[in-house]
Amino acid sequence: DFPLTVYDIFTHGITFLCVVFDGFVVNRTPVDLKHFAVNSGFALLYITWSLIQGLVPIDNPWKEPDVSQSLYKVLDWDAEPVMSAIVGVMVVFVAVPVFHIIFWAISLPLQVYLDVYEAQETAGKVDLDDEEDQVKEAPLTKADSTYNKENKDAEESSVSSCEV
Protein backbone atom coordinates (compact mmCIF):
# COMPACT_ATOMS: atom_id res chain seq x y z
CA ASP A 1 0.00 0.00 0.00
CA PHE A 2 2.93 2.35 0.71
CA PRO A 3 5.65 1.53 -1.82
CA LEU A 4 9.16 2.53 -0.86
CA THR A 5 10.79 4.56 -3.63
CA VAL A 6 14.33 5.75 -4.22
CA TYR A 7 13.05 9.28 -3.63
CA ASP A 8 11.80 8.27 -0.16
CA ILE A 9 15.11 6.61 0.67
CA PHE A 10 17.14 9.66 -0.32
CA THR A 11 14.73 12.21 1.13
CA HIS A 12 14.45 10.56 4.53
CA GLY A 13 17.05 7.81 4.95
CA ILE A 14 20.14 9.49 3.55
CA THR A 15 19.23 12.80 5.19
CA PHE A 16 18.77 10.98 8.50
CA LEU A 17 22.18 9.30 8.18
CA CYS A 18 23.85 12.63 7.32
CA VAL A 19 22.29 14.34 10.36
CA VAL A 20 23.27 11.49 12.69
CA PHE A 21 26.84 11.45 11.31
CA ASP A 22 27.10 15.22 11.67
CA GLY A 23 25.70 15.20 15.21
CA PHE A 24 27.71 12.32 16.65
CA VAL A 25 30.94 12.29 14.63
CA VAL A 26 31.58 15.77 13.26
CA ASN A 27 30.12 18.04 15.97
CA ARG A 28 29.99 15.54 18.84
CA THR A 29 26.66 16.91 20.05
CA PRO A 30 25.65 15.39 23.39
CA VAL A 31 22.07 14.19 23.82
CA ASP A 32 20.60 14.58 27.29
CA LEU A 33 17.44 12.99 28.64
CA LYS A 34 16.11 16.47 29.39
CA HIS A 35 16.00 17.12 25.63
CA PHE A 36 13.17 14.58 25.41
CA ALA A 37 10.55 17.25 26.11
CA VAL A 38 11.72 19.32 23.14
CA ASN A 39 11.72 16.33 20.79
CA SER A 40 8.26 15.24 21.93
CA GLY A 41 7.01 18.81 21.57
CA PHE A 42 8.21 19.02 17.97
CA ALA A 43 6.66 15.63 17.17
CA LEU A 44 3.37 16.76 18.68
CA LEU A 45 3.51 20.03 16.73
CA TYR A 46 4.19 18.12 13.51
CA ILE A 47 1.28 15.74 14.06
CA THR A 48 -0.97 18.71 14.87
CA TRP A 49 0.17 20.50 11.72
CA SER A 50 -0.49 17.41 9.61
CA LEU A 51 -4.00 17.24 11.10
CA ILE A 52 -4.70 20.90 10.31
CA GLN A 53 -3.16 20.67 6.85
CA GLY A 54 -5.06 17.46 6.10
CA LEU A 55 -8.48 18.65 7.23
CA VAL A 56 -8.56 22.30 6.19
CA PRO A 57 -9.99 22.54 2.66
CA ILE A 58 -7.19 24.59 1.16
CA ASP A 59 -6.32 23.28 -2.26
CA ASN A 60 -2.74 22.73 -3.35
CA PRO A 61 -2.36 24.01 -6.93
CA TRP A 62 0.63 21.70 -7.60
CA LYS A 63 -1.00 18.42 -6.59
CA GLU A 64 -2.63 15.92 -8.89
CA PRO A 65 -6.45 16.29 -9.09
CA ASP A 66 -7.25 13.02 -7.32
CA VAL A 67 -4.45 13.10 -4.74
CA SER A 68 -5.06 13.78 -1.05
CA GLN A 69 -3.79 16.94 0.63
CA SER A 70 -1.96 14.86 3.26
CA LEU A 71 1.78 15.28 3.71
CA TYR A 72 2.23 11.49 3.89
CA LYS A 73 -0.15 8.72 2.90
CA VAL A 74 0.07 7.25 6.37
CA LEU A 75 -1.13 10.60 7.81
CA ASP A 76 -4.18 11.02 5.57
CA TRP A 77 -6.54 12.50 8.15
CA ASP A 78 -9.31 12.97 5.60
CA ALA A 79 -9.45 9.40 4.24
CA GLU A 80 -8.28 7.39 7.28
CA PRO A 81 -8.53 9.45 10.49
CA VAL A 82 -8.29 6.44 12.85
CA MET A 83 -5.12 5.12 11.22
CA SER A 84 -3.63 8.64 11.21
CA ALA A 85 -4.44 9.05 14.91
CA ILE A 86 -2.86 5.69 15.73
CA VAL A 87 0.29 6.60 13.77
CA GLY A 88 0.44 10.02 15.46
CA VAL A 89 0.13 8.53 18.93
CA MET A 90 2.73 5.85 18.12
CA VAL A 91 5.17 8.47 16.84
CA VAL A 92 4.81 10.80 19.82
CA PHE A 93 4.63 8.18 22.58
CA VAL A 94 6.68 5.27 21.19
CA ALA A 95 9.01 6.21 18.31
CA VAL A 96 10.30 9.52 19.74
CA PRO A 97 11.06 8.06 23.22
CA VAL A 98 12.72 4.94 21.78
CA PHE A 99 14.91 6.89 19.35
CA HIS A 100 15.72 9.46 22.02
CA ILE A 101 16.92 6.76 24.43
CA ILE A 102 18.97 5.11 21.66
CA PHE A 103 20.64 8.43 20.73
CA TRP A 104 21.18 9.27 24.39
CA ALA A 105 22.91 5.90 24.91
CA ILE A 106 25.09 6.48 21.84
CA SER A 107 26.11 9.90 23.12
CA LEU A 108 27.07 8.75 26.65
CA PRO A 109 30.74 8.05 25.79
CA LEU A 110 30.84 11.45 24.11
CA GLN A 111 29.58 13.17 27.26
CA VAL A 112 32.28 11.52 29.39
CA TYR A 113 34.88 12.63 26.83
CA LEU A 114 33.61 16.23 26.95
CA ASP A 115 33.34 16.23 30.76
CA VAL A 116 37.02 15.26 31.04
CA TYR A 117 38.10 18.07 28.70
CA GLU A 118 35.87 20.62 30.46
CA ALA A 119 37.35 19.61 33.82
CA GLN A 120 40.86 19.97 32.41
CA GLU A 121 40.03 23.37 30.95
CA THR A 122 38.53 24.51 34.27
CA ALA A 123 41.66 23.34 36.08
CA GLY A 124 43.75 25.26 33.56
CA LYS A 125 45.51 22.24 32.13
CA VAL A 126 44.05 22.51 28.62
CA ASP A 127 42.89 25.51 26.64
CA LEU A 128 40.08 24.22 24.41
CA ASP A 129 40.03 27.48 22.47
CA ASP A 130 43.69 27.02 21.56
CA GLU A 131 44.03 24.87 18.45
CA GLU A 132 47.15 23.13 19.75
CA ASP A 133 45.71 22.43 23.25
CA GLN A 134 48.78 23.95 24.87
CA VAL A 135 49.24 23.54 28.58
CA LYS A 136 48.86 26.78 30.47
CA GLU A 137 49.24 27.89 34.06
CA ALA A 138 46.29 27.09 36.31
CA PRO A 139 44.32 30.14 37.49
CA LEU A 140 44.17 30.91 41.21
CA THR A 141 41.22 29.43 43.03
CA LYS A 142 39.69 30.13 46.42
CA ALA A 143 41.42 27.02 47.74
CA ASP A 144 44.79 28.52 46.84
CA SER A 145 46.43 29.99 49.96
CA THR A 146 47.98 32.88 47.98
CA TYR A 147 44.57 33.84 46.62
CA ASN A 148 43.02 33.77 50.11
CA LYS A 149 45.90 35.81 51.60
CA GLU A 150 45.63 38.49 48.90
CA ASN A 151 41.85 38.71 49.32
CA LYS A 152 42.12 38.97 53.13
CA ASP A 153 44.71 41.74 52.80
CA ALA A 154 42.51 43.60 50.33
CA GLU A 155 39.41 43.17 52.51
CA GLU A 156 41.25 44.37 55.61
CA SER A 157 42.58 47.46 53.85
CA SER A 158 39.11 48.33 52.46
CA VAL A 159 37.49 47.82 55.90
CA SER A 160 40.16 49.93 57.64
CA SER A 161 39.73 52.74 55.09
CA CYS A 162 35.96 52.77 55.69
CA GLU A 163 36.36 52.97 59.47
CA VAL A 164 38.38 56.19 59.35
Side-chain angles (χ1 to χ4, degrees):
D1 219 16
F2 302 109
L4 190 61
T5 65
V6 173
Y7 175 77
D8 292 331
I9 293 170
F10 276 95
T11 303
H12 298 91
I14 301 299
T15 303
F16 173 76
L17 291 175
C18 288
V19 169
V20 168
F21 180 78
D22 180 59
F24 287 128
V25 177
V26 176
N27 290 319
R28 296 182 179 238
T29 306
V31 177
D32 289 331
L33 289 177
K34 62 186 172 186
H35 298 151
F36 173 73
V38 175
N39 292 335
S40 295
F42 276 115
L44 191 60
L45 280 172
Y46 181 79
I47 298 298
T48 303
W49 171 251
S50 75
L51 173 67
I52 292 168
Q53 195 267 342
L55 295 178
V56 173
I58 299 172
D59 203 24
N60 181 354
W62 292 283
K63 75 172 181 72
E64 299 293 325
D66 295 335
V67 176
S68 171
Q69 289 285 6
S70 64
L71 297 171
Y72 295 101
K73 292 177 186 176
V74 75
L75 288 175
D76 191 353
W77 293 93
D78 195 29
E80 296 188 39
V82 174
M83 180 63 173
S84 299
I86 291 170
V87 168
V89 167
M90 294 296 286
V91 165
V92 172
F93 295 108
V94 176
V96 169
V98 166
F99 276 101
H100 191 83
I101 289 171
I102 289 170
F103 291 146
W104 170 74
I106 291 170
S107 77
L108 282 178
L110 167 67
Q111 291 177 4
V112 171
Y113 175 76
L114 289 176
D115 288 344
V116 168
Y117 262 154
E118 286 174 1
Q120 288 178 349
E121 183 181 31
T122 303
K125 294 179 181 174
V126 174
D127 182 8
L128 291 180
D129 295 328
D130 188 7
E131 290 182 12
E132 298 176 4
D133 289 336
Q134 295 178 353
V135 176
K136 64 179 185 179
E137 224 176 279
L140 295 176
T141 62
K142 290 184 179 182
D144 188 359
S145 61
T146 310
Y147 176 85
N148 288 333
K149 183 181 177 202
E150 289 173 2
N151 277 349
K152 285 180 184 177
D153 292 342
E155 287 175 9
E156 288 174 6
S157 65
S158 65
V159 169
S160 63
S161 64
C162 290
E163 292 175 354
V164 175

